[in-house]
Amino acid sequence: MFNIKTTFLTLYLFAVSGGAYAAVPDQNVQPMVISSVREHSTTVYGDKIEYNITFDVAISNLSKKPLDLSKGCFEAVMPDNSTRSLSMIDEDLTEGLLKVGDNRKSFVEFSAGDDSIYKAIAVKYKTVCQ
């Protein structure tokens, strides 16, 4: 039998839980990253030379859910599609939630013991990192 109170309660709970679910960050979303090389540099300490490449980056959340930046990481993409780990980042790109439709701009830097790092062609963002 049709019960108006039960139907209303079901619709209300569905609406409330749906609103709460939409606010949960989604780490399966792949945000858009735009990057451009800012500079190549070196750091010398003792007999060691470290080669650095700095990118200006903008990360945009084009999904329908917020993205938790503290759980992801940026990587340099090499011509053979291998990746290199980050060596320096502006903390603004690692903290908090990136809201739907929002973006952040800053820099990331990658380093290596040889100048092969200068061949990096792009920066990508992984939503889940080890």
Side-chain angles (χ1 to χ4, degrees):
M1 170 122 208
F2 179 74
N3 182 332
I4 191 75
K5 287 182 182 179
T6 303
T7 303
F8 178 77
L9 180 60
T10 302
L11 289 173
Y12 174 77
L13 291 174
F14 179 76
V16 170
S17 67
Y21 179 74
V24 174
D26 185 355
Q27 294 309 113
N28 294 317
V29 169
Q30 292 300 316
M32 181 174 70
V33 177
I34 299 171
S35 61
S36 62
V37 175
R38 179 195 297 177
E39 68 181 3
H40 295 109
S41 63
T42 57
T43 304
V44 178
Y45 47 98
D47 292 338
K48 290 187 133 192
I49 298 176
E50 186 172 277
Y51 299 84
N52 313 299
I53 184 169
T54 305
F55 284 88
D56 290 317
V57 296
I59 182 170
S60 299
N61 185 356
L62 305 178
S63 74
K64 296 182 185 211
K65 295 183 181 181
L67 177 67
D68 187 349
L69 292 174
S70 69
K71 294 183 179 174
C73 59
F74 289 89
E75 294 179 326
V77 179
M78 304 306 288
D80 65 356
N81 265 351
S82 64
T83 58
R84 302 282 180 92
S85 297
L86 191 67
S87 61
M88 189 182 335
I89 188 168
D90 181 350
E91 69 182 31
D92 189 43
L93 295 175
T94 65
E95 296 179 342
L97 295 179
L98 186 60
K99 296 177 184 175
V100 174
D102 202 4
N103 65 66
R104 293 191 190 171
K105 297 177 184 178
S106 194
F107 74 93
V108 294
E109 184 176 286
F110 303 91
S111 300
D114 60 41
D115 65 357
S116 66
I117 195 68
Y118 291 162
K119 295 178 182 162
I121 57 172
V123 175
K124 74 176 185 177
Y125 183 80
K126 287 178 51 177
T127 57
V128 178
C129 294
Q130 277 52 297

